[in-house]
Amino acid sequence: MHAFAALLDTLIATPEARKPGVEQMILDTFQRRKAVLALDMSGFTLTVRRDGILAYLCQIRRMHKITRPLVLAHHGEVVKNEADNLLAVFDDVADAVAAALAMVNAAVVEGQAPLLAFSVGIDVGEILLLEQVDCFGDAVNLAYKLGEDIARPGEVLVTQRVREQLTDTAGLGFQSIQVSISGMDVTTFAVTPAP
């Protein structure tokens, strides 16, 4: 993170005519094309109020223990866990979708009360990736918006870009949903295993 921050400081201090060169250096160093998965746990306020913060921290710990192995099993990388969120990246959108569906399913069948409920958003695109620290970009923003604000508990939402890149959709069902994100109309798809 320090190297990235130093490059941003350099960009800020660079005269306008030389900014494109510094910008390109940052892009060459950190830009990657990735599928971005943002997961949010549902029920924070209710659980804390009803059961206390330790009960919710235990749920967050359970979420980490469920999701991290599933990200790795689907060839992904956990970028970070922050509060009740998980941010992960994948080279292949199919792996991201498979991981998301496995996470939602694992939360339901884990069997410990109270059950966990995950909401997941996935987008794909060029991002700035600081491995195991953070990532930035349009795909990150859309994945977070879908996972935190729009997806219902137990729902996996993907963008049109993800849907278009899924080459093998056998075994998957898609329901188109129009949403507004920051004033933009966005077509998303709720993904489910086909019956």
Side-chain angles (χ1 to χ4, degrees), residues 39-41 63 80-87 144 148:
L39 175 144
D40 183 50
M41 288 177 54
M63 180 267 285
K80 66 179 179 177
N81 286 106
E82 195 168 83
D84 64 342
N85 297 314
L86 163 81
L87 182 64
Y144 262 124
E148 287 190 316

Side-chain angles (χ1 to χ4, degrees), residues 62-63 65-66 105-116 118:
R62 286 171 49 211
M63 180 267 285
K65 290 173 77 172
I66 291 169
N105 186 54
V108 171
V109 300
E110 189 200 27
Q112 295 182 31
L115 292 177
L116 300 176
F118 301 150

Side-chain angles (χ1 to χ4, degrees), residues 46-84:
L46 178 61
T47 301
V48 170
R49 188 162 281 187
R50 183 187 62 219
D51 301 328
I53 190 64
L54 288 177
Y56 198 72
L57 292 175
C58 288
Q59 284 188 334
I60 290 173
R61 181 67 183 139
R62 286 171 49 211
M63 180 267 285
H64 292 178
K65 290 173 77 172
I66 291 169
T67 58
R68 182 172 290 274
L70 290 171
V71 169
L72 299 176
H74 290 89
H75 316 290
E77 172 189 339
V78 173
V79 176
K80 66 179 179 177
N81 286 106
E82 195 168 83
D84 64 342

